[in-house]
Amino acid sequence: MGKKKSTVQDALMLTDKGYRDLKKAIAACTLTNFSMFIPAMVMLQVVMELLKPFTGGSISWTNMWIYFGLGIIGAVIVFLCNKNDYKKTYVASYMESENTRIALAEHIRKLPMSVFNSKNLSELTTNLMGDVATSEHVLSHVYPQIISNVITITVVCSMFAFYDWRMALAIFISVPVAFLIIFASRRIQERLGKKHAQAKLEASEQVQEYIEGIKVVKACNLDSQQFQALEKALRTMKNLAIKFEFGSGVFVTGAQMLVQSGIGLTVFAGTSLLLNGKIELVPMLLCLLIVTRIYGPIITELTLLPELFYHQIAIRRMRTLMNIQPMEGDTEKPVKEYDIELKNISFRYNPQGEETIKNVNVTIPAGAITALVGPSGSGKSTLSRLIARFWDVNKGQVEIGGIDVKELDPEHLMEYMSFVFQDVVLFNDTVYNNIKIGNMSATEEQVLAAAKAARCDEFIDKMPDGYQTVLGENGSTLSGGERQRLSIARALLKDAPIVLLDEATASLDPESESCIQQAIGRLIQGKTVLVIAHRLRTIAKADKIIVLDDGKVIEQGTHSELMEQNGLYKRLYTIQQESLGWSV
Ligand SMILES: Nc1ncnc2c1ncn2[C@@H]1O[C@H](COP(=O)(O)OP(=O)(O)OP(=O)(O)O)[C@@H](O)[C@H]1O
């Protein structure tokens, strides 16, 4: 069982290490604050020494040399404290934000796909980058400094109170009142901050949509219409940013003025006490020094205080994401048989929506090729995603080798499956590494052999740096056929016992098609194969064909059995055969 987190740690969403580091950062900043008094005190002594001739004394040069030496030692101490403070605040907060980002990314990886239906990419990017950056900034620039200043001023004033409580009160009183002003405005600032954060998110969604859709925008000559939406989102964001800054500015300036009035109050209290003989000159000057030393940073930090409210908004968003239950399951349970049973399964994407898969009950035998066919939108891809547990079924069970996939951790389940989808995702990395993703522990020989078997070597050899050619973002320079062959190479390298294959719909030239067919032939040897077939002639030899229509299985059998049944399969097959003879 994990250690219980303290309320502060939980409120700031810190890891155990992050919380420990924050406490260390506060201690380091407090130490720096106190170290700053050393040069100030030395300075005060020098001034007192220089004033001696005016009170009938003479300057002691021995004392002056001592102060000079103490000044140098003080400067060294301040430098060392600052260095330590820098390390404890900045380095620690960057480390914490890295850990938070990794934790969020790990969590996102384990979330069910339904989450990605309701959250778009911008929202998740904002969580990972923007919200964590807000945390990073307040942990490095706001919390340690503000808390350490409050500690410093409280300690100094408490000590001073023993000497003269009136001066201590004059120094101290304006600080809590200033903080109170900022915290009293919390509701207004949070409301404005929330609106601004939402506008930022909408603007980033618009930017992303605009950039992603730039090809369509150009092709359909949508420039001005599409840009209007982006412009509107950016304008709203600007207006709300100004409102937010203005809203917090009023309170911050008020609080800053109040703190500054504390200097006047200290001077006033000090002078009247001095004139009434209730305080001596040196302690009074000391008070003024303290005021200027401590108030300076506090005035600066009051500007940063509204960020704490913004931070709360970011934390709430990150917490909402972290509270989404990830898909769980056994991480080790071995799957020994590879037949797949779909037992009365039903599934809908949206809780209020219609069922996409309706009471499907079929077997996909081990070591055989099963084809899934049906009209567009009948649920073929959905069914294959349910087998891979990208989503969990709402009713019934998906079993592999007699084990309900819900019992298996999705990452463990993936060890038994290879995918060849139409929308092949390629990373901005070398061709070699893009293939190796299939099996990170594969040797170079294995990677090259898989590439050869998938007939990738033919086009890779023509690339400027061969296997070391960097593909660019999502491999945009590769043709559809080449992308699919890379994906087959990955699957060959993985050598998983179950293969889910989404046959390309795009019309490939006969040469590419034959290359891909040969590569697929090697991939599926001896495996449990489920192929989503769009061109029915390619699956005529499949061991089993399942025909889906509107989420239901309406026919199943071999090609000849289905042709005899004279149903949907025969109709689809005949239409495709006829269309082969068409020419444009
Ligand atoms: N992520 C999603 N969220 C909501 N609905 C979805 C989602 N993916 C698919 N659908 C819907 O589910 C239905 C079945 O889609 P699916 O992609 O499984 O069909 P398909 O038979 O594979 O189609 P195609 O042959 O055109 O690829 C469609 O009506 C589709 O709009």
Side-chain angles (χ1 to χ4, degrees), residues 365-371 527 539-545 557-559 561:
I369 300 172
T370 303
K527 306 272 165 68
I539 46 109
K541 290 198 195 109
D543 300 293
K544 183 173 183 176
I545 299 169
T558 59
H559 171 73
E561 283 166 357

Side-chain angles (χ1 to χ4, degrees), residues 113 116-117 347-350 355-357 373-385 391 422 502 505 532-534 548 551:
M113 292 301 283
F116 302 94
N117 245 26
F347 172 75
R348 51 164 61 93
Y349 280 104
N350 302 310
E355 278 184 342
T356 302
I357 297 296
V373 304
S376 176
S378 56
K380 303 180 293 291
S381 305
T382 306
L383 211 60
S384 71
R385 289 177 201 148
W391 308 73
Q422 286 183 48
D502 195 349
T505 43
I532 297 173
H534 301 278
L548 269 186

Side-chain angles (χ1 to χ4, degrees), residues 64-106:
M64 288 298 267
W65 278 111
I66 293 173
Y67 298 147
F68 179 70
L70 287 174
I72 291 182
I73 295 172
V76 172
I77 293 176
V78 170
F79 171 78
L80 291 175
C81 287
N82 264 313
K83 193 167 160 257
N84 174 49
D85 160 1
Y86 183 85
K87 200 170 151 211
K88 294 276 186 312
T89 52
Y90 297 91
V91 178
S93 69
Y94 294 139
M95 270 162 65
E96 176 66 2
S97 55
E98 185 195 354
N99 290 338
T100 312
R101 282 200 179 104
I102 291 173
L104 280 171
E106 285 268 312

Side-chain angles (χ1 to χ4, degrees), residues 347-469:
F347 172 75
R348 51 164 61 93
Y349 280 104
N350 302 310
Q352 294 82 20
E354 222 196 295
E355 278 184 342
T356 302
I357 297 296
K358 298 164 185 160
N359 203 26
V360 166
N361 207 1
V362 284
T363 305
I364 296 159
I369 300 172
T370 303
L372 208 51
V373 304
S376 176
S378 56
K380 303 180 293 291
S381 305
T382 306
L383 211 60
S384 71
R385 289 177 201 148
L386 293 175
I387 293 170
R389 216 191 155 197
F390 284 6
W391 308 73
D392 273 335
V393 290
N394 301 115
K395 275 190 230 149
Q397 274 157 15
V398 175
E399 288 183 0
I400 298 183
I403 301 171
D404 189 337
V405 290
K406 281 188 184 171
E407 288 175 26
L408 302 173
D409 176 74
E411 285 178 12
H412 175 52
L413 178 64
M414 283 310 117
E415 290 167 20
Y416 298 99
M417 291 185 186
S418 289
F419 302 92
V420 180
F421 286 154
Q422 286 183 48
D423 46 349
V424 182
V425 176
L426 297 172
F427 295 96
N428 189 3
D429 203 341
T430 58
V431 185
Y432 181 87
N433 287 340
N434 263 291
I435 298 174
K436 202 176 170 184
I437 282 169
N439 177 3
M440 292 310 278
S441 55
T443 61
E444 190 176 341
E445 287 75 46
Q446 287 170 321
V447 174
L448 300 187
K452 196 157 190 257
R455 302 206 46 188
C456 294
D457 53 342
E458 296 163 17
F459 67 89
I460 295 173
D461 287 343
K462 290 185 195 140
M463 289 180 160
D465 297 317
Y467 281 86
Q468 294 312 315
T469 309

Side-chain angles (χ1 to χ4, degrees), residues 517-563:
Q517 288 306 334
Q518 283 178 27
I520 288 177
R522 282 174 197 146
L523 171 67
I524 63 179
Q525 268 167 24
K527 306 272 165 68
T528 301
V529 182
L530 180 69
V531 50
I532 297 173
H534 301 278
R535 287 159 303 162
L536 304 190
R537 69 193 155 86
T538 59
I539 46 109
K541 290 198 195 109
D543 300 293
K544 183 173 183 176
I545 299 169
I546 297 169
V547 187
L548 269 186
D549 189 22
D550 191 24
K552 288 180 283 222
V553 174
I554 54 161
E555 292 165 20
Q556 52 182 313
T558 59
H559 171 73
S560 47
E561 283 166 357
L562 292 175
M563 290 303 275

